[in-house]
Amino acid sequence: MFRTKSVEQSILDTEEPEHALKKSLSALDLTVFGVGVIIGTGIFVLTGKVAKETAGPATAIAFVVAGVVCALAALCYAEFASTVPVAGSAYTFSYASLGELVAWIIGWDLVLEFALGTAVVAVGWSGYVRSLMDNVNWTMPEVLSGPDAAEGFGFDLLAFILVLILTVILVVGMKLSARVTAVVVAIKLGVVLIVIIAGLFFIKADNYKPFIPPAEQQATGSGWDAPMVQLIFGYEPTNFGIMGIFTAASIVFFAFIGFDVVATAAEETKLPQRDMPRGILGSLIICTVLYVAVSIVVTGMQHYSELSVSAPLADAFKAVGHPVYAGVISFGAAVGLTTVCMILLLGQTRVFFAMSRDGLLPRFFSRTHPRFKTPYRPTILLGVVIAIIAGFTSIDELATLVNIGTLFAFVVVALGVLVLRRTRPDLPRAFRTPWVPLLPIASVAASVWLMLNLPAETWVRFGAWMALGVVIYFVYGRSHSRMAREGR
């Protein structure tokens, strides 16, 4: 259960012709992927919710806090991705440092994170598109608008079609995916810059008063609705005030989810030792700066107590008498969510591919396409499954599961850096996480703190999924593992 797969063996496996991925990505491609997946629902929706209910104008500080937590994890990811440039991200890193069982658990966790993330974003994209269609008097039938919009049975046809189209793009090749992403990211960045630059002319200083509103008790519910930190320590999070900023950080963390997906493309990068750290850290820095700028502008345009929760950026421009900007922002949000969905699906298929190549999942899925050199079998399978999930899913309860899955991966990667530094100090490391062991320990502590701010029922669902994964490992993965066969 705790056998590790050497870094050298992991790299050798990538050279087998039938299981090799095409190396076509540069540092710029990786940065574009990172920006493409990070800037999504968070910046277009969470800004208003957090400012109005939790932090006020200090939402900008909450974004900084969440960005620092992600930066701690990003530095650990950068060391691993440059040292072990193999598909699979945290799964592969764990296999090299913490052992097979831990690797399986984190791989199973990432399958959940990326699958639900893709489905949630596809449903969100469908909502924006239906809103734009309504503006020109095109209306989807309720039965084809998804369970959130229909009474009784509902199937989200737009979300279903989107996932299938993105599946085809990913099968055809990573370079095509990178080009599509680059075009969409350019549109999305343009919209974000419009918000920042145009919004500067409508800022009123009085809207920033008070910058940190007085603290008030947060209504957290009881029992399984309450956050774990309340059940364990008796600490009750507050809205507003200094502690409200940290509560807000645990919410806006969702806006940063996705930078770790960049690490799943390590095997398809031309110079991973140099380009992976640049792509991971570069995309995170760019997005943090944009998030802080947008939150400052929006809370300056409209008092935080009056901000919209569903569409804060668009509605802020409507409030100052510029509905045209609101339409542009809604269009940018719809276009931007396309890349978020595609890159999450990319991460999902690469983790699945890496696990199948190691025998923990059927080896049938580890063969690459003879022409495109992409893992087409898991891509098609997962694309169809996620498209169906997106068609039938309601997004109310899924976002927190994505959060806890990501934070758990952060914890495992930080611990893996500590273990591999001790067990394999001889490994050449193109990028080294600074201040070891202090920085990885700080990353673990920060991630666990944000996990504890999630509802207890999320922990129960997450625990059930992990338990199912452990059963599958002992029934199938442990005996079919490539390491086990080689041992025999």
Side-chain angles (χ1 to χ4, degrees), residues 380-400:
I380 293 172
L381 170 69
L382 295 169
V384 172
V385 170
I386 294 172
I388 294 172
I389 293 173
F392 287 107
T393 198
S394 176
I395 66 176
D396 290 341
E397 302 296 334
L398 298 183
T400 52

Side-chain angles (χ1 to χ4, degrees), residues 213-487:
E216 59 184 48
Q217 195 60 50
Q218 185 184 114
T220 57
S222 59
W224 296 117
D225 292 333
M228 282 294 289
V229 68
Q230 180 176 332
L231 296 180
I232 296 174
F233 303 109
Y235 164 76
E236 297 186 10
T238 63
N239 288 332
F240 308 116
I242 297 297
M243 295 310 298
I245 293 174
F246 292 99
T247 302
S250 67
I251 300 172
V252 300
F253 173 80
F254 182 82
F256 288 92
I257 285 178
F259 80 85
D260 55 321
V261 179
V262 176
T264 65
E267 192 174 326
E268 293 157 277
T269 304
K270 296 175 184 176
L271 296 172
Q273 290 79 8
R274 183 196 68 185
D275 293 343
M276 286 306 302
R278 293 181 179 181
I280 293 173
L281 296 171
S283 58
L284 185 60
I285 291 170
I286 290 170
C287 293
T288 302
V289 171
L290 291 176
Y291 279 2
V292 171
V294 166
S295 61
I296 289 174
V297 167
V298 171
T299 54
M301 291 175 63
Q302 193 174 14
H303 195 267
Y304 72 89
S305 62
E306 300 172 356
L307 282 173
S308 161
V309 172
S310 59
L313 306 191
D315 290 348
F317 278 98
K318 288 181 182 178
V320 295
H322 287 273
V324 174
Y325 286 121
V328 171
I329 292 167
S330 295
F331 172 75
V335 172
L337 291 179
T338 307
T339 56
V340 179
C341 195
M342 182 171 72
I343 299 168
L344 286 173
L345 182 58
L346 163 73
Q348 161 81 303
T349 58
R350 270 41 179 187
V351 172
F352 200 94
F353 170 76
M355 295 174 75
S356 65
R357 190 164 58 186
D358 289 332
L360 297 177
L361 290 171
R363 292 268 290 175
F364 170 82
F365 295 107
S366 65
R367 291 185 180 274
T368 54
H369 194 281
R371 177 183 174 188
F372 302 125
K373 293 300 179 183
T374 56
Y376 67 106
R377 289 174 176 174
T379 301
I380 293 172
L381 170 69
L382 295 169
V384 172
V385 170
I386 294 172
I388 294 172
I389 293 173
F392 287 107
T393 198
S394 176
I395 66 176
D396 290 341
E397 302 296 334
L398 298 183
T400 52
L401 272 175
V402 179
N403 267 7
I404 197 170
T406 303
L407 288 165
F408 180 66
F410 286 3
V411 170
V412 172
V413 169
L415 292 175
V417 167
L418 293 174
V419 172
L420 203 62
R421 282 285 187 97
R422 180 172 291 274
T423 58
R424 291 298 308 275
D426 57 304
L427 277 177
R429 291 169 168 83
F431 179 89
R432 297 177 69 89
T433 302
W435 308 309
V436 172
L438 295 179
L439 190 144
I441 292 173
S443 178
V444 170
S447 297
V448 169
W449 172 253
L450 292 186
M451 290 172 73
L452 290 174
N453 277 277
L454 294 172
E457 60 184 355
T458 300
W459 283 77
V460 173
R461 294 191 183 104
F462 182 68
W465 177 259
M466 290 293 103
L468 175 62
V470 170
V471 170
I472 293 175
Y473 170 75
F474 281 106
V475 171
Y476 180 89
R478 187 182 182 194
S479 58
H480 289 79
S481 162
R482 190 171 179 180
M483 295 283 289
R485 290 200 308 271
E486 291 175 354

Side-chain angles (χ1 to χ4, degrees), residues 73-91:
L75 290 167
C76 298
Y77 268 91
E79 175 169 326
F80 261 127
S82 60
T83 306
V84 193
V86 178
S89 184
Y91 158 76

Side-chain angles (χ1 to χ4, degrees), residues 50-62:
V50 171
K52 186 171 185 176
E53 301 176 359
T54 313
T59 297
I61 302 176

